[in-house]
Amino acid sequence: DTHHINAIALLGALHQQNGDFETAKTYFEQGRLQEQKSSLFHLFYGDFLLSKQQTTEALTSLQTAFKLSPNDPEVLIKLAYAYLVKRDRKKAQQYFERASLIAPNLRNAPLYALDFYPLTKPIAAKYKAWYEQYSYENESDEYKSKFAHFQLQHVLFLLSTNQLKDAEALFEQTIKQYVPNDFVWYVEAAIAAKSGRLTSALEKLEQRYQLAPALNRYVIPYIHGLMANNDFQMAFNLFTKHFAEFASLTTPAEQNLGLYLTYAQILQGLENKKTEHENSQTSQTLAKLTQNLALWRELNGEFSGFNEVKWHVIKQDDESARLAATKLLNSDCLPDYNDNMFTETLLHRYLKEHKHE
């Protein structure tokens, strides 16, 4: 019966929250053996699988929860985050927007928005208002964990809004024992990137990547770090290992423009470093990929935000790269340290490299 399966789900979630994953797993396995018409079970089980980095299985469980409770904001938010982990931002936004429509007073919506959209001044203003009126009275461990997580999210926001000193101070104050290492290391790397310590940032991102080197989950920030440090060979090795279907150009361009532009930049970086006699395979792949991206841009118009700057860098059109970078810095867009902590460094680098001789 539903009450029984819900009780099992709650016990599993409770043990997961307390860090006892083995007992949590036992309860969830027990629940799976029963008739599961409980969206609560699938929600908690999906969350458990996400925490174990079993993204595909998590997505299946959360989609079942959605079929059973299509209007439950909690299910919709969790499903949105699962798609975000899968790097499907479009689907993530769809589920987040559905949750916002169903629950217009969704308490943490401005915080969630930081994950689902590129950071702009209007989104930043809404989030700032939310952060200032958020209350932290509760003393439970679950609450302390949430609070510590929010604080680290806020550190990234402070970096994005050019408040490095405040970001460093808040990072020092945060009780990090309540937050998983992967997030703590990401924020440490972001502080290093903002301070111009690119090697330190890369070291932290490598340490984070080594938590799960077989999975795609932590690889993109590490690749961004390698590119910012001009290690295009290692970036290429990791990209081809983790995104073989993109490296072989078999996935259509529109499925993930950001990934393809990153790949084109890596290939361009390799091209710039090689001698005339080296393998022309990268030249051929780069030419084909550039052609695909040019076709997409011709049909759909300019790329959005930083992607348009990347495009002109790939095309080695210095003047257009400089103009696009200047336009972006003067727009409502903010450098989003939650998304790519090296955007600001690279924009200034492009402006320097591509300024009038």
Side-chain angles (χ1 to χ4, degrees), residues 28 34 46 52 66 71 77 93 105 107-108 132 148 181 187 196 223 281 283 309 314 318 337 340:
F28 286 124
Q34 303 183 22
K52 303 296 285 174
F66 172 65
N71 295 330
I77 292 290
Q93 286 171 351
N105 300 321
R107 189 180 180 199
N108 298 333
E132 282 165 3
N181 278 339
V187 176
I223 288 175
Q281 184 60 53
S283 313
V309 183
I314 293 157
D318 291 2
Y337 279 74
N340 181 353

Side-chain angles (χ1 to χ4, degrees), residues 6-70:
N6 284 354
I8 287 173
L10 285 163
L11 283 166
L14 192 65
H15 284 284
Q16 178 191 336
Q17 199 181 294
N18 294 333
D20 184 355
F21 287 96
E22 275 313 305
T23 312
K25 188 181 175 185
T26 308
Y27 277 113
F28 286 124
E29 291 296 339
Q30 197 183 324
R32 285 183 67 207
L33 297 172
Q34 303 183 22
E35 182 55 39
Q36 305 145 28
K37 286 278 180 270
S38 156
S39 69
L40 189 76
F41 175 80
H42 287 286
L43 170 65
F44 286 167
Y45 184 48
D47 185 48
F48 172 75
L49 291 167
L50 268 184
S51 73
K52 303 296 285 174
Q53 276 124 38
Q54 291 170 253
T55 317
T56 307
E57 298 90 331
L59 213 44
T60 305
S61 192
L62 291 166
Q63 279 162 343
T64 307
F66 172 65
K67 281 176 194 143
L68 294 165
S69 296

Side-chain angles (χ1 to χ4, degrees), residues 209-254:
Y209 169 73
Q210 293 302 344
L211 288 171
L215 304 174
N216 292 354
R217 187 158 187 184
Y218 302 128
V219 73
I220 286 290
Y222 183 31
I223 288 175
H224 287 157
L226 289 162
M227 291 167 74
N229 283 279
N230 292 314
D231 188 346
F232 291 102
Q233 187 58 57
M234 185 64 175
F236 175 79
N237 296 347
L238 284 171
F239 193 96
T240 48
K241 172 190 165 185
H242 286 273
F243 304 106
E245 70 285 13
F246 286 92
S248 60
L249 310 189
T250 46
T251 305
E254 60 274 5

Side-chain angles (χ1 to χ4, degrees), residues 66-77 79-80 90-104 106 117:
F66 172 65
K67 281 176 194 143
L68 294 165
S69 296
N71 295 330
D72 182 333
E74 209 177 328
V75 170
L76 291 164
I77 292 290
L79 192 49
K90 206 177 238 175
K91 275 224 172 84
Q93 286 171 351
Q94 282 168 5
Y95 284 107
F96 172 63
E97 282 160 15
R98 184 180 168 99
S100 304
L101 275 173
I102 288 164
L106 196 64
Y117 301 101

Side-chain angles (χ1 to χ4, degrees), residues 155-164 167 190-191 194 337 344:
V155 169
L156 293 175
F157 176 78
L158 291 169
L159 294 173
S160 301
T161 49
N162 210 20
Q163 301 173 72
L164 175 60
I191 291 171
K194 178 75 176 175
Y337 279 74
E344 200 171 10

